[in-house]
Amino acid sequence: MAPAPAALSAANALSLLAPARVSSGRWSSLSVSVSARPVTGVVSVAAATAQRRLVAAAAATEMAPAASGEEGSKPFVEEMRAVAMKLHTKDQAREGEKEPQAPPVAKWEPSVEGYLRFLVDSKLVFQTLEAIAEPAAVPWYAEFRNTGLERSEALKNDPEWFRQQGHTIPEPSAPGTTYASLLEELSEEDPQAFICHFYNVYFAHTAGGRMIGKKVSEKILNNKELEFYKWEGNLSQLLQNVRNKLNQVASSWSREEKDHCLEETEKSFSYSGGLLRHIFT
């Protein structure tokens, strides 16, 4: 079992790591406990809230509601979105319930070195998500092949551009390798939890993730647009196609399995926060 992201001092208002609330995994008769994952350090409520606010910034503005499902029913992706939005603040989303504990993205001070670490670790995470869909250990993972949202190819090109500018490309670090290991484990042992991470990683990147990329580019890259933030085709339609597939997959789940998927949201924010933290250190 992959260890949870390491905790940071509460004095760091930009801390992106916090202990996650964890529940037992369920898939049919299989029950996998993940509650024993160790968490090092001590984090205050304020620090944990700060992390969630910063990660929420990567998911806020454009995680549009899913299209309506059958009459009288609520599409499951809309439930997933609703839970994610509650981890935002009111200034990020009207559904937000968290108090702001950190400065807005416009006041962040990124570094090229930190941004490179973020890109390298992000590449590993996206590669892992794409690889999991290929052998399809769980049959319905095959639904998420070649969605058009894949990012690993784009993330092969961007570090090379930095290399040409004279920067050294780092190897993947603990936040990326730890998250990749967790995704592999969940994909085999806890499919509902895995789908929660899949949804939040991809949809957050297409939403607030693009906003963060734009702000970072303005500050340190002379407004260069990286391939990481470009998609072929109509992005809105690509997202809707994936929403439809997620809703179709979840239609066969029990209410307990759906709730378990939703309960994984805060942990997905925590692990994504470990990657975002690179930009500022």
Side-chain angles (χ1 to χ4, degrees):
M1 186 67 69
L8 295 182
S9 166
N12 184 355
L14 292 179
S15 171
L16 291 172
L17 301 181
R21 176 168 51 86
V22 181
S23 62
S24 297
R26 295 181 182 83
W27 178 28
S28 300
S29 60
L30 177 65
S31 178
V32 181
S33 174
V34 294
S35 60
R37 182 177 293 114
V39 179
T40 59
V42 178
V43 166
S44 70
V45 172
T49 304
Q51 175 193 342
R52 289 191 294 269
R53 180 183 188 273
L54 292 175
V55 180
T61 55
E62 296 177 6
M63 289 182 76
S68 297
E70 297 179 2
E71 185 175 357
S73 67
K74 185 176 185 179
F76 185 62
V77 169
E78 183 63 12
E79 293 188 49
M80 297 174 78
R81 177 184 178 275
V83 173
M85 289 300 102
K86 288 181 179 180
L87 294 177
H88 295 67
T89 60
K90 285 293 185 183
D91 62 319
Q92 294 169 338
R94 65 177 180 274
E95 305 100 315
E97 296 181 355
K98 301 298 181 180
E99 292 296 324
Q101 296 289 329
V105 175
K107 294 185 178 181
W108 293 359
E109 295 296 334
S111 68
V112 172
E113 293 75 13
Y115 194 47
L116 271 171
R117 290 193 296 271
F118 166 72
L119 293 175
V120 168
D121 277 5
S122 294
K123 177 186 174 185
L124 178 59
V125 168
F126 280 102
Q127 280 180 327
T128 301
L129 288 168
E130 292 164 25
I132 287 169
E134 284 304 318
V138 175
W140 38 260
Y141 289 169
E143 295 291 331
F144 304 107
R145 297 175 186 163
N146 303 317
T147 64
L149 299 183
E150 292 80 14
R151 297 288 84 203
S152 64
E153 282 299 318
L155 284 166
K156 290 180 181 178
N157 298 326
D158 289 333
E160 182 56 32
W161 179 83
F162 281 94
R163 192 193 309 276
Q164 293 172 3
Q165 311 308 307
H167 297 285
T168 300
I169 310 304
E171 293 296 319
S173 60
T177 57
T178 299
Y179 197 11
S181 295
L182 175 73
L183 291 170
E184 290 175 342
E185 184 173 335
L186 291 177
S187 71
E188 296 177 359
E189 300 179 351
D190 194 346
Q192 282 74 31
F194 170 75
I195 287 297
C196 177
H197 288 265
F198 177 95
Y199 166 78
N200 282 293
V201 169
Y202 278 108
F203 279 69
H205 179 63
T206 65
R210 287 192 293 166
M211 178 267 291
I212 290 175
K214 183 174 185 297
K215 293 298 182 182
V216 170
S217 179
E218 290 173 355
K219 286 178 177 288
I220 63 175
L221 301 180
N222 196 27
N223 290 309
K224 176 179 174 58
E225 184 181 14
L226 298 181
E227 297 300 312
F228 191 27
Y229 305 100
K230 298 178 183 178
W231 289 262
E232 294 185 7
N234 185 313
L235 179 58
S236 295
Q237 186 59 54
L238 294 175
L239 290 168
Q240 188 56 49
N241 292 343
V242 175
R243 289 189 191 99
N244 292 341
K245 291 180 177 181
L246 287 167
N247 286 329
Q248 180 181 6
V249 165
S251 67
S252 65
W253 294 353
S254 67
R255 184 67 254 176
E256 183 182 23
E257 289 171 325
K258 290 179 179 179
D259 289 343
H260 176 59
C261 177
L262 299 176
E263 289 166 359
E264 190 78 6
T265 304
E266 190 166 355
K267 197 202 309 186
S268 76
F269 272 49
S270 181
Y271 278 89
S272 294
L275 274 60
L276 281 173
R277 179 176 174 267
H278 280 315
I279 301 175
F280 313 101
T281 58

